[in-house]
Amino acid sequence: MITVPLHAIAHARTGDKGNRLNVAVIAHHPDVWDVLVEQVTEERVAALLAHRRPSAVRRYLLPNLYALNLVIDDVLEGGVNAALNLDGHGKTLSFLVLTLPVTVAEDVLATVRTTLDARAHRP
Amino acid sequence: MAPPLLIGNGAGFSGDRLDAAEPVARTLIARGGKAAMTFETLAERTLALGVLARETDPDAGYEPALAPLLRPVLGLCLDAGIPIIGNFGAANPRGAAAAIVRLAAELGLAPPRIVVLEGDDVRDVLDDPRIAWEGGARPARPIIAANAYLGAFPIAEALRAGAEIVVTGRIADPALALGPLIAHFGWGEHDLDALAAGTLAGHLLECGAQVTGGYFGDPGVKDVPAPEAIGFPIAEVTADGTITVTKADTPGGLVDRRSVTEQILYEVHDPAAYLTPDVTLDITGVTVAETARDTVVLRGTRGQARPPTLKATISTEGGYLGEGEISYAGPNALARARLAASTLRARVANLPVRLRIDLLGLQAVFDSDDGARGGPLGPDGEVRVRLAALADDRATAEAAAREVLSLYCCGPAGGGGVRTSVTRRVATTSALIPRDLVHPRVAMVSP
């Protein structure tokens, strides 16, 4: 087993509404779906964003899409129209979530890497 | 059974690329068949900015870039019978309609048939005790704008009445696409799965390039061909609610499982209950399949009954934001930047503001325009100090920002590149409004 940033096995996108942030985390390969379910938990995401004091983290699973949706309340320090942060939308926070360390079997990681490389060299 | 409808999107926000729409229109025409084109230019606070603009110019208040957005496609769409639906009316749909009439004249086109959709402004009914306010109470600060998100059926009504262009203010973003689908297929209020599919199609289209490789590139992980020329999205929707996402024929962008999945969940909370004025969308059963290059097919959308209330966005005065930035570079730059930050904190301590100070950046002022120098990082790299101070009045915000400017002569050694600004802020909140308080109405305003 090897520990890597979540960025090695998943991609993500944030959206904001008011002071609520959502981060969709999507597996790069079906073989890492279980890793997302087991390791990208509400508790770990809340801890990762503790400095922004989330009032709640709710996780929704979408196995059809190999995706999970994290809904994180009150981390935008007022939201885009009240925050002092340069990124008041919290748009960059998807990549903070992608720093979460996850532990993956080495052969599974190799499978993900092969998939990404195949995508990277489209004819 | 009615043939499919193609829907292209030419803008995903106010500020989007002005050359994106024309390839969409040309691709729709080349593919043939029935088509419609949408423009989404209205973020949460954009409408309030339109209200403020109208205070100084009664003819303003609609999308400022309306003419450059539509100029490349207006003649193409009118000639081809492709209706245009946009929320570029913002705070002044009739003003936008007048601007389109002027644009058509400038281009030598006959006056198009334009319908405006109004009734989203709910400022007059905010005293109703049944309104459920976010946070439990009506905001204390003066209200600038209050607009309910209208649904898709009035758009369909406008199209059935022969509209070539439908101009709206606040509307649920997916309704821009759902409206022409309702008009095309004759869906009713109880065709919930169909309305849900149309809503998902609209949701995928509403942010423009975000489904075709925009807001997506991550070198070595998610590479996007020609990101300077991304083709904006086109969705084909069939009578049974199958959605096929493709893109305009340009060298750039992509449509694949990843780009589509990211956009499915964009700004979604509970994926089993995405609330819109027309239907409650359930995407938990949706399947995504890549069937050809830059072609993704979605099936399995389900709909439940629409919610009993309409959401409204309420914009209030939000004070004034003063900002200032200054750079330090070279030996001991980080320490000098921290000294500047602590100096600013002490100088601003007596002002009634909410304060934040950032240390930004890895490289900027040392580098050439073409970035030839690159890094170094760490304590001897390059740091930009940013102050942000939110105040109730402009003078206080200016006083805070001025403290960054005065660091030129009073601050640490070698500070440079000061920029300061003061911005009037608009705060937003939301409320749930009973439907009987909201009266959408359509009016043919041209010719």
Side-chain angles (χ1 to χ4, degrees):
Chain A
M1 302 293 274
I2 183 170
T3 299
V4 294
L6 181 56
H7 182 251
I9 62 165
H11 56 115
R13 176 172 292 185
T14 54
D16 71 298
K17 286 208 189 287
N19 206 10
R20 173 177 276 186
L21 180 76
N22 87 291
V23 184
V25 178
I26 304 154
H28 277 305
H29 193 279
D31 286 0
V32 292
W33 169 241
D34 289 346
V35 178
L36 298 191
V37 174
E38 287 160 17
Q39 300 186 42
V40 185
T41 60
E42 293 171 354
E43 294 73 21
R44 291 191 75 206
V45 171
L48 189 68
L49 291 163
H51 63 292
R52 303 281 285 259
R53 293 189 281 281
S55 63
V57 178
R58 179 91 195 265
R59 186 180 78 161
Y60 299 92
L61 300 180
L62 293 117
N64 279 353
L65 304 176
Y66 304 108
L68 50 88
N69 191 32
L70 299 161
V71 179
I72 306 163
D73 284 341
D74 300 314
V75 285
L76 295 179
E77 301 175 311
V80 62
N81 300 317
L84 296 180
N85 194 308
L86 269 180
D87 176 21
H89 294 96
K91 283 179 175 288
T92 56
L93 293 175
S94 53
F95 279 80
L96 179 56
V97 171
L98 290 176
T99 66
L100 193 76
V102 290
T103 303
V104 194
E106 274 145 17
D107 60 327
V108 172
L109 190 61
T111 304
V112 173
R113 196 62 242 177
T114 304
T115 307
L116 291 179
D117 288 345
R119 290 271 193 189
H121 304 292
R122 290 168 29 124
Chain B
M1 195 184 289
L5 184 68
L6 288 172
I7 304 173
N9 180 284
F13 78 114
S14 177
D16 216 331
R17 288 181 179 168
L18 296 172
D19 59 357
E22 182 175 343
V24 175
R26 291 195 183 280
T27 305
L28 291 173
I29 292 165
R31 289 194 197 169
K34 286 274 286 179
M37 187 135 181
T38 61
F39 289 82
E40 200 291 289
T41 60
L42 204 50
E44 280 186 346
R45 66 178 162 171
T46 317
L47 204 147
L49 301 178
V51 172
L52 295 177
R54 222 177 160 178
E55 283 176 4
T56 48
D57 176 3
D59 294 330
Y62 57 87
E63 166 57 42
L66 177 61
L69 267 176
L70 290 187
R71 184 174 288 116
V73 299
L74 187 59
L76 287 174
C77 289
L78 290 173
D79 285 349
I82 297 173
I84 294 172
I85 304 99
N87 57 8
F88 35 55
N92 188 2
R94 286 174 189 261
I100 295 169
V101 170
R102 288 195 298 273
L103 177 65
E106 173 197 319
L107 296 171
L109 304 166
R113 290 189 301 276
I114 306 176
V115 169
V116 295
L117 169 55
E118 297 170 303
D120 56 314
D121 187 341
V122 292
R123 280 178 290 186
D124 290 343
V125 301
L126 294 179
D127 290 332
D128 192 286
R130 294 173 296 159
I131 293 175
W133 293 90
E134 178 186 352
R138 181 174 171 155
R141 285 181 151 165
I143 288 173
I144 299 168
N147 298 79
Y149 288 82
L150 303 181
F153 281 90
I155 291 177
E157 180 189 336
L159 293 170
R160 286 202 197 98
E164 294 171 295
I165 299 169
V166 184
V167 180
T168 82
R170 182 65 77 200
I171 189 161
D173 295 345
L176 297 170
L178 180 58
L181 288 165
I182 291 170
H184 178 71
F185 290 117
W187 293 338
E189 291 185 7
H190 301 289
D191 295 326
L192 297 177
D193 288 346
L195 295 177
T199 298
L200 179 60
H203 175 69
L204 291 168
L205 291 168
E206 74 181 59
C207 292
Q210 279 197 185
V211 72
T212 57
Y215 207 59
F216 184 78
D218 188 6
V221 180
K222 296 183 294 171
D223 293 298
V224 177
E228 72 283 2
I230 293 178
F232 272 41
I234 294 171
E236 180 196 83
V237 182
T238 62
D240 71 351
T242 302
I243 303 163
T244 304
V245 181
T246 58
K247 69 176 191 68
D249 299 331
T250 72
L254 58 79
V255 181
D256 68 15
R257 183 185 63 76
R258 304 169 304 170
S259 71
V260 170
T261 304
E262 285 194 14
Q263 193 57 22
I264 288 175
L265 289 167
Y266 180 70
E267 290 184 339
V268 167
H269 300 148
D270 181 352
Y274 183 72
L275 304 177
T276 80
D278 299 305
V279 68
T280 297
L281 172 62
D282 176 0
I283 57 176
T284 57
V286 170
T287 59
V288 172
E290 296 175 358
T291 57
R293 180 165 179 159
D294 294 327
T295 306
V296 167
V297 175
L298 297 96
R299 290 191 171 86
T301 316
R302 291 187 298 256
Q304 311 288 337
R306 68 188 197 187
T309 52
L310 292 175
K311 180 183 166 180
T313 288
I314 319 294
S315 300
T316 64
E317 296 285 355
Y320 290 83
L321 182 71
E323 291 176 282
E325 297 184 6
I326 185 167
S327 285
Y328 298 91
N332 221 17
L334 184 58
R336 285 180 287 133
R338 286 189 170 132
L339 175 58
S342 61
T343 304
L344 287 169
R345 283 189 192 285
R347 293 287 304 176
V348 176
N350 291 328
L351 291 176
V353 298
R354 221 176 93 211
L355 181 69
R356 171 190 179 108
I357 294 182
D358 293 319
L359 299 178
L360 307 175
L362 305 174
Q363 60 177 105
V365 293
F366 262 18
D367 221 324
S368 53
D369 280 354
D370 60 1
R373 183 176 184 277
L377 316 181
D380 296 336
E382 200 176 290
V383 184
R384 192 158 176 85
V385 178
R386 170 180 177 261
L387 167 146
L390 187 63
D392 285 339
D393 63 294
R394 180 179 286 276
T396 302
E398 281 171 355
R402 189 181 174 82
E403 289 299 336
V404 179
L405 183 60
S406 60
L407 288 178
Y408 263 144
C409 285
C410 304
V418 170
R419 299 285 188 280
T420 64
S421 66
V422 173
T423 313
R424 184 179 180 178
R425 283 217 138 177
V426 172
T428 58
T429 186
S430 67
L432 299 175
I433 314 256
R435 284 178 185 265
D436 61 79
L437 295 179
V438 184
H439 306 288
R441 52 186 186 276
V442 294
M444 185 82 75
V445 295
S446 163

